[in-house]
Amino acid sequence: PKKVYISTNPPVVVPFIVFIYAKLFKASYVYHLQDIHPEAASIIIKVNPVIYRITKWMDSLVMKQASALITITDTMKKNILRRSKTMATIYIIDNPSAFSDFQVSEKKKGFVFSGNAGRLQRIPLLLNSIRDYRKQGGKLPFAFAGGGVFKNKIEELSKEVEDVTYYGILSAKDASSISSAYEWALLPIEDKVTEFAFPSKSSTYVVSGNKILSICGSNTSVSKWVVENNFGKNSIPNIQSIVNTFIAIERGEINIKNTDRNIEKFSIDCFVEQISNVLSERG
């Protein structure tokens, strides 16, 4: 092919192979950075410094030679420009939702977390906040679905604290069904990772009709996305702030109207159309 679309799944190596292919066969490619590596990976695991420098150089070269780049947030765009000095046009396209038909009209008062319970999701902080919320008399239920390194901790909490339910690892369809049943969805994320990635479950939360409680610094791309789009509320990542937000939600003191959401922009069809348009423009 004379025109190639490549994303960061898997990262670095496959995009670099596409870069070599394009040089050999005089092809062009559009590079979709849904994560920026090796920076995103290095937040989770310790990367050998030599490997880190080599993979960063490889990926910067791929960015610089692309006919166009696609990413998710303005923060990620700035990091791409800072690192690669690319002159290519950078498009910002939202990640699509896994499903688009799970909205329910009567949602349960309470919170749901659906997705990976990993090291970047502030799970210990969230679980300790739920414990403190209960100690202060909080009554709203919590539901968790998904796996990850902290799934055992979540399961322990579900046995320890009343009205905390852990559904385990589910299919995307079943997880979306559970998410849509609750009024609020939890979106905790480490601040550093928001410079190089964006939580994929956020779009599914929007399409499922959830109000979103993000837990991260107020200047991060995630917090701004939630607050500026009126998708929900952000809490800074400390126990007292999170507990206070839980209590305010329980008392009905936080009013988020989400009836005017444009959920079509998060559909797979819209996503594919936008990608197709970029490929056409850069042909």
Side-chain angles (χ1 to χ4, degrees):
K2 290 298 182 184
K3 192 183 299 183
V4 182
Y5 166 85
I6 183 69
S7 71
T8 44
N9 184 21
V12 182
V13 175
V14 173
F16 192 74
I17 291 170
V18 169
F19 159 76
I20 294 171
Y21 168 86
K23 286 292 184 185
L24 290 174
F25 296 98
K26 294 181 171 50
S28 65
Y29 61 91
V30 171
Y31 188 17
H32 191 166
L33 291 114
Q34 292 169 306
D35 307 292
I36 301 174
H37 291 285
E39 291 92 332
S42 69
I43 297 170
I44 306 171
I45 59 173
K46 185 175 177 62
V47 180
N48 179 285
V50 175
I51 294 174
Y52 182 89
R53 287 196 297 272
I54 291 171
T55 53
K56 188 175 180 181
W57 170 80
M58 289 168 61
D59 209 50
S60 294
L61 195 57
V62 178
M63 293 177 186
K64 198 164 188 177
Q65 297 298 317
S67 63
L69 299 165
I70 302 170
T71 195
I72 306 172
T73 68
D74 192 57
T75 299
M76 293 173 70
K77 176 180 177 179
K78 289 175 181 175
N79 276 294
I80 290 167
L81 287 168
R82 186 180 302 116
R83 195 233 273 181
S84 68
K85 307 290 193 265
T86 182
M87 300 299 291
T89 301
I90 302 177
Y91 297 83
I92 294 177
I93 297 177
D94 288 297
N95 272 337
S97 167
F99 287 90
S100 59
D101 57 354
F102 274 106
Q103 286 208 39
V104 297
S105 55
E106 291 297 325
K107 293 183 178 293
K108 300 176 186 176
K109 299 278 187 186
F111 304 89
V112 63
F113 175 96
S114 180
N116 181 51
R119 294 181 178 89
L120 301 178
Q121 281 72 41
R122 299 187 186 269
I123 298 300
L125 173 66
L126 176 59
L127 300 185
N128 288 331
S129 299
I130 292 171
R131 288 188 179 94
D132 267 36
Y133 169 65
R134 283 287 188 268
K135 288 176 183 175
Q136 295 186 37
K139 301 295 185 184
L140 291 179
F142 293 82
F144 290 84
V149 296
F150 291 111
K151 67 183 182 66
N152 291 338
K153 296 292 185 184
I154 296 171
E155 191 169 13
E156 288 172 14
L157 183 72
S158 69
K159 295 174 181 177
E160 168 193 334
V161 177
E162 187 179 357
D163 274 339
V164 174
T165 305
Y166 177 52
Y167 290 95
I169 301 172
L170 303 173
S171 69
K173 183 176 181 180
D174 289 341
S176 295
S177 179
I178 288 169
S179 293
S180 67
Y182 287 83
E183 184 178 7
W184 284 84
L186 297 167
L187 191 63
I189 189 79
E190 289 287 348
D191 289 9
K192 187 65 177 175
V193 77
T194 65
E195 297 180 26
F196 309 109
F198 197 81
S200 56
K201 59 178 166 279
S202 55
S203 297
T204 301
Y205 283 162
V206 173
V207 171
S208 296
N210 299 115
K211 299 171 186 176
I212 299 174
L213 174 57
S214 55
I215 299 172
C216 53
S218 56
N219 288 321
T220 63
S221 59
V222 171
S223 171
K224 291 176 181 178
W225 181 82
V226 169
V227 174
E228 291 174 7
N229 288 293
N230 200 35
F231 291 149
K233 169 79 174 174
N234 185 70
S235 169
I236 59 173
N238 68 60
I239 290 178
Q240 194 54 58
S241 175
I242 297 167
V243 171
N244 288 345
T245 305
F246 288 161
I247 291 171
I249 289 171
E250 182 177 344
R251 291 174 176 171
E253 296 171 357
I254 297 176
N255 185 25
I256 304 294
K257 294 182 179 179
N258 55 11
T259 54
D260 58 348
R261 292 185 183 186
N262 177 18
I263 63 173
E264 177 61 28
K265 68 179 288 191
F266 299 106
S267 70
I268 291 288
D269 288 345
C270 183
F271 176 77
V272 172
E273 183 180 357
Q274 290 179 88
I275 299 296
S276 178
N277 289 340
V278 173
L279 288 168
S280 297
E281 288 174 17
R282 310 315 298 181

